Amino acid sequence: MPELNNTKLAIIGLGYVGLPLAVEFGKKMSTTGFDINEARIEELLSGQDSTLEVEPELLAEATQLSFTTDLKKLRDCNVYIVTVPTPIDKYNRPDLTPLEKASHSVGQVLSKGDIVIYESTVYPGATEEVCIPILEQTSGLRFNQDFFAGYSPERINPGDKEHRVTTILKVTSGSTPDIADFVDTLYRTIITAGTHKASSIKVAEAAKVIENTQRDLNIALINELSLIFTKLGIDTLEVLEAAGTKWNFLPFRPGLVGGHCISVDPYYLTQKAQEIGYNPEIILAGRRINDSMGGYVTGRVVKMMTRKQIHVVESNVLILGLTFKENCPDLRNTRVIDIIKEFETYHANVDVYDPWVDTKEAQHEYGITPITDLKQNHYDAIILAVAHDEFRQMGADGIHALGKSEHILFDVKYTLPKESVDGRL
């Protein structure tokens, strides 16, 4: 096991999770950021971060941080932190391919006494059941004799400039008591909010996967309430604001549930539960409700258009916002795509406008080319899907000006006053 003052870190994966972590460690100790994406490394070497998670001045402060795509340059490192994504496939099954490949890469440079810490969201047991055997096989070393492991789940909230990596309390764990102490001490060098040392790697894995499962279920409940209140002719937000006057009522809002965590993590837990013979009911019910909301929004807008005798076929529809959350360029698993696809089944002409989105990424991920200029008096329906500040600044009048004399404006995110829109969740 390395001494803390002799630690040479390698961060594997430099996305929304890995880069902020690498920058903070790079202020304190020798840190190498590794990514297989050459364009990403070139961008970071130029002092820029396209995810907008780390400002150029913060990158410059990490004087002990270097970047590389060359695996051989990690051989001198003795602590490896793996921060690669753990997505789901089109059947909502956990896809551990990035994690398995990262483990294979680390195994090629692993030396006796080294520690491998995983931050990627997984089901309880995945680190020891999936990752460790790959490390052993690739390196030829024995777990908990020649090398060790830890797990410290990421808690990054993309686009959030208040809750950042250093100010979010960190859960830590290790494969032995001594390693658990080392991992905890290592993170304490950068985490000002403090740490919570779990009793085992499995406990830390489980803690992470239920954080977002709990949020997913809470939002699913509010989404279901929205479906009910709409049928009753009651405004959902007014109900929630009234109920929110009680001190212990949780302030959740209905909406589209996308992103790399809340809409993904529950499937990691349910997959593992099914493997051990338990069929989850509440968790999967919540997922079904949340995954249906894009189609529900489209259905409501189509009904409103029909009432105004606006033909849906060949209509012009504008979607404002494509990212999975406001004021953030992250497109991962955005559920706005569900609205777009639903309208396309009606043979509507759909334009997507989002000032935060990288056009090439949108084309690559979803085959969508966002428009760059908004057309006045052009649209039969406008859906405000993401509450970017730019849309708030446009206001209801500015957005209505994009529509024809007869059009529908639907507000998914409660961005505009109730009286200024035709409908909202």
Side-chain angles (χ1 to χ4, degrees), residues 147 186 215 381:
F147 75 94
L186 175 67
R215 284 183 56 79

Side-chain angles (χ1 to χ4, degrees), residues 25 28 170 172 181-197:
F25 275 121
K28 305 282 187 179
K170 201 87 163 72
T172 66
D181 289 341
F182 175 86
V183 172
D184 194 70
T185 302
L186 175 67
Y187 279 104
R188 279 183 176 271
T189 63
I190 65 166
I191 306 296
T192 57
T195 58
H196 174 90
K197 185 168 59 175

Side-chain angles (χ1 to χ4, degrees), residues 57-349:
E57 57 270 23
L58 293 180
L59 266 174
E61 290 176 11
T63 56
Q64 299 185 63
L65 174 62
S66 61
F67 300 108
T68 186
T69 58
D70 187 355
L71 193 61
K72 295 176 183 177
K73 292 185 178 179
L74 304 184
R75 288 193 179 278
D76 290 337
C77 297
N78 48 27
V79 176
Y80 299 86
I81 301 181
V82 179
T83 62
V84 297
T86 42
I88 52 175
D89 63 20
K90 63 180 180 179
Y91 303 109
N92 294 327
R93 297 177 304 199
D95 181 6
L96 294 176
T97 303
L99 197 61
E100 292 168 346
K101 289 182 176 179
S103 297
H104 180 75
S105 295
V106 172
Q108 295 179 60
V109 293
L110 201 61
S111 299
K112 193 168 184 178
D114 289 354
I115 301 172
V116 184
I117 304 168
Y118 290 90
E119 289 213 3
S120 306
T121 301
V122 291
Y123 55 77
T127 299
E128 291 154 298
E129 296 167 10
V130 176
C131 302
I132 296 304
I134 294 173
L135 293 173
E136 285 186 316
Q137 183 179 9
T138 308
S139 68
L141 302 174
R142 293 166 297 176
F143 177 50
N144 274 346
Q145 294 184 47
D146 300 324
F147 75 94
F148 306 89
Y151 184 81
S152 181
E154 60 91 0
R155 281 178 164 172
I156 292 293
N157 187 26
D160 190 337
K161 300 305 180 184
E162 179 182 354
H163 302 97
R164 310 192 78 155
V165 63
T166 60
T167 61
I168 303 172
L169 195 141
K170 201 87 163 72
V171 175
T172 66
S173 64
S175 57
T176 71
D178 287 342
I179 296 302
D181 289 341
F182 175 86
V183 172
D184 194 70
T185 302
L186 175 67
Y187 279 104
R188 279 183 176 271
T189 63
I190 65 166
I191 306 296
T192 57
T195 58
H196 174 90
K197 185 168 59 175
S199 63
S200 68
I201 287 176
K202 282 186 179 180
V203 167
E205 291 169 327
K208 168 57 181 175
V209 81
I210 71 165
E211 288 175 17
N212 289 314
T213 299
Q214 183 186 68
R215 284 183 56 79
D216 192 45
L217 283 170
N218 276 310
I219 298 170
L221 171 62
I222 302 302
N223 275 335
E224 187 164 56
L225 292 176
S226 176
L227 303 181
I228 295 169
F229 294 146
T230 297
K231 288 182 177 295
L232 292 173
I234 304 172
D235 185 81
T236 303
L237 183 59
E238 289 184 16
V239 175
L240 294 175
E241 288 175 340
T245 58
K246 188 180 181 186
W247 76 92
N248 60 353
F249 187 83
L250 300 177
F252 286 93
R253 294 288 184 267
L256 306 174
V257 183
H260 69 297
C261 286
I262 298 179
S263 61
V264 172
D265 294 359
Y267 290 119
Y268 276 78
L269 185 57
T270 56
Q271 167 91 0
K272 188 62 177 178
Q274 289 166 341
E275 286 180 5
I276 60 175
Y278 180 78
N279 186 44
E281 296 184 24
I282 295 176
I283 298 173
L284 290 176
R287 280 281 73 236
R288 286 192 294 271
I289 290 171
N290 286 342
D291 278 348
S292 72
M293 293 307 290
Y296 171 72
V297 168
T298 304
R300 290 226 9 224
V301 174
V302 167
K303 287 180 180 179
M304 291 176 183
M305 294 172 71
T306 302
R307 291 191 195 107
K308 283 194 175 184
Q309 297 184 354
I310 300 172
H311 293 290
V312 180
V313 176
E314 295 300 328
S315 62
N316 296 322
V317 176
L318 174 64
I319 310 292
L320 292 174
L322 181 60
T323 61
F324 90 88
K325 66 181 294 188
E326 64 273 7
N327 304 324
C328 172
D330 197 344
L331 287 175
R332 288 176 294 177
N333 202 34
T334 176
R335 299 301 1 127
V336 178
I337 194 68
D338 298 337
I339 300 176
I340 298 168
K341 288 181 177 178
E342 281 291 318
F343 267 110
E344 288 175 346
T345 66
Y346 287 95
H347 301 285
N349 304 309

